[in-house]
Amino acid sequence: MSALTFIDRLRIERAVWTVDAYISILPMRRQREIRRELRANLRASAAQVGAKAAIRNLGSLRRLSYEYLSAEYRGRPWPTPLKGLGWAVVVEVLLVLAWTLTLSAFHDGLAATNPEPGRYTVERPLIGFVSEVTVDSAGDLTEVAFLVSIPVALAWVLVAFVVGSRLWRVIPRWRDRLRERRAQREAGAVADA
Amino acid sequence: MPPFLDPQLLKGVLPPLLLALLAERESYGYELVQRLREAGLTGMSEGTVYPALARMERESWIQARLVPSRSGPARKYYRPTAAGYAALRDGAAAWQTLAAVVTPILARPIPSQPAPPTEEV
């Protein structure tokens, strides 16, 4: 057995936290348990074969994390919050694009029709967008105002996150947890009796 | 040199193997890897054993307790539960049944080429 150097500890921490990043969808308590166990095992292994070999013997850290997730979800597919976040960003960008195009099309369309003086409004409730353009007596578009609905935008982003991350996949896991807690309570009640 | 052990072949038999070792003596993850290697499974990797332990704990086949270590952080020692002992008995019986069928077939001498079909069309 050999004492671990500071660099060895850093190497081990890097491996531990890499796995931790991959399994970040697990509850924090479970993540902490896995981190602690992996760290203890890696240090025991590193004391015998060196930190580099100990980490190499784990194989692919991504694969290891996948196996941990598979164990936790009993082989069922699990949610993918990072993908959900990606989809939420894409939808947000598309919304901004849709607002810009709607405003621009309305503005250009109005200008092309030699409008009477007054106020002209466009509403697109589906994307939460309202714009009002004022035309003066000379037929110029003098004032362009627009309003976007934050609740509608947030609803779209939320839907994208839920669908993109397949958030419903946590439901069977919650059911398992509830069933286990109920079984533990019942076992405790039987033991007390 | 010992023959290469296919990890896929081992995967199905790994839980009963781990349960059998834990039934003999409480152990933590890396210690189990060492014990498997000492038993002849030299290619056994930590990356296979640790998630298998997580899976078995999730199935309530094993339970764990933390034991302080002089050389580092506390280690998680496992032991089989009642369900684990039942799984071990089932797993051992299934393995022995499979081995009783497979071993005689694979032990036959390998012919240089296959015999023609019993009925030629």
Side-chain angles (χ1 to χ4, degrees):
Chain A
M1 281 223 176
S2 60
L4 297 179
T5 64
F6 178 68
I7 298 294
D8 286 341
R9 284 168 195 266
L10 278 185
R11 284 194 180 110
I12 289 171
E13 286 307 310
R14 185 171 167 267
V16 168
W17 286 98
T18 302
V19 170
D20 186 78
Y22 283 126
I23 60 169
S24 58
I25 60 167
L26 293 181
M28 285 173 76
R29 191 177 150 194
R30 183 70 188 123
Q31 261 181 277
R32 197 166 52 238
E33 283 172 6
I34 291 175
R35 261 195 332 259
R36 279 182 182 163
E37 186 178 13
L38 189 59
R39 183 180 292 118
N41 282 326
L42 273 174
R43 287 199 187 172
S45 172
Q48 306 236 332
V49 297
K52 274 187 186 171
I55 294 164
R56 198 171 47 242
N57 287 344
L58 285 178
S60 154
L61 296 181
R62 183 190 282 252
R63 181 77 207 165
L64 177 67
S65 314
Y66 176 92
E67 293 291 339
Y68 272 127
L69 287 174
S70 179
E72 198 63 25
Y73 281 88
R74 293 189 162 146
R76 289 189 291 247
W78 49 82
T80 50
L82 278 181
K83 276 189 191 169
L85 209 61
W87 277 108
V89 169
V90 167
V91 164
E92 180 59 43
V93 169
L94 288 177
L95 266 178
V96 171
L97 195 66
W99 293 334
T100 312
L101 287 176
T102 305
L103 181 65
S104 163
F106 178 58
H107 191 277
D108 291 352
L110 199 61
T113 55
N114 295 323
E116 295 289 317
R119 287 174 186 275
Y120 295 85
T121 307
V122 63
E123 271 187 64
R124 292 287 177 268
L126 198 65
I127 55 170
F129 181 80
V130 180
S131 176
E132 193 176 80
V133 176
T134 306
V135 177
D136 66 8
S137 53
D140 293 330
L141 278 55
T142 55
E143 201 180 306
V144 178
F146 68 91
L147 195 69
V148 295
S149 163
I150 299 297
V152 170
L154 280 179
W156 276 110
V157 167
L158 191 66
V159 166
F161 177 75
V162 169
V163 173
S165 61
R166 277 101 165 123
L167 213 54
W168 55 88
R169 288 176 174 176
V170 297
I171 295 171
R173 193 175 169 282
W174 284 342
R175 275 202 212 120
D176 284 350
R177 288 269 172 194
L178 283 176
R179 218 172 283 143
E180 279 162 21
R181 277 186 203 151
R182 204 177 305 135
Q184 279 169 2
R185 268 202 305 273
E186 282 169 8
V190 169
D192 290 343
Chain B
M1 194 175 144
F4 173 73
L5 290 167
D6 184 352
Q8 289 302 321
L9 271 179
L10 280 175
K11 212 166 184 176
V13 82
L14 188 57
L17 270 177
L18 293 173
L19 284 167
L21 294 181
L22 291 174
E24 286 171 7
R25 189 175 79 231
E26 283 184 63
S27 295
Y28 64 97
Y30 181 62
E31 189 184 4
L32 276 169
V33 175
Q34 285 179 308
R35 289 176 68 192
L36 286 167
R37 285 178 184 158
E38 281 162 14
L41 299 170
T42 48
M44 184 56 71
S45 87
E46 285 93 324
T48 307
V49 173
Y50 301 161
L53 288 170
R55 192 170 284 115
M56 287 159 64
E57 192 181 17
R58 185 91 181 79
E59 298 294 336
S60 302
W61 288 354
I62 51 176
Q63 61 188 36
R65 66 188 177 100
L66 284 175
V67 176
S69 162
R70 272 172 295 168
S71 58
R75 290 169 178 168
K76 201 172 172 184
Y77 277 76
Y78 295 98
R79 64 183 304 166
T81 60
Y85 280 105
L88 172 56
R89 279 189 288 274
D90 291 348
W95 172 256
Q96 276 154 13
T97 307
L98 181 68
V101 175
V102 172
T103 307
I105 297 174
L106 295 185
R108 290 175 197 166
I110 303 170
S112 56
Q113 58 178 1
T118 47
E119 281 183 37
E120 291 276 3
V121 180

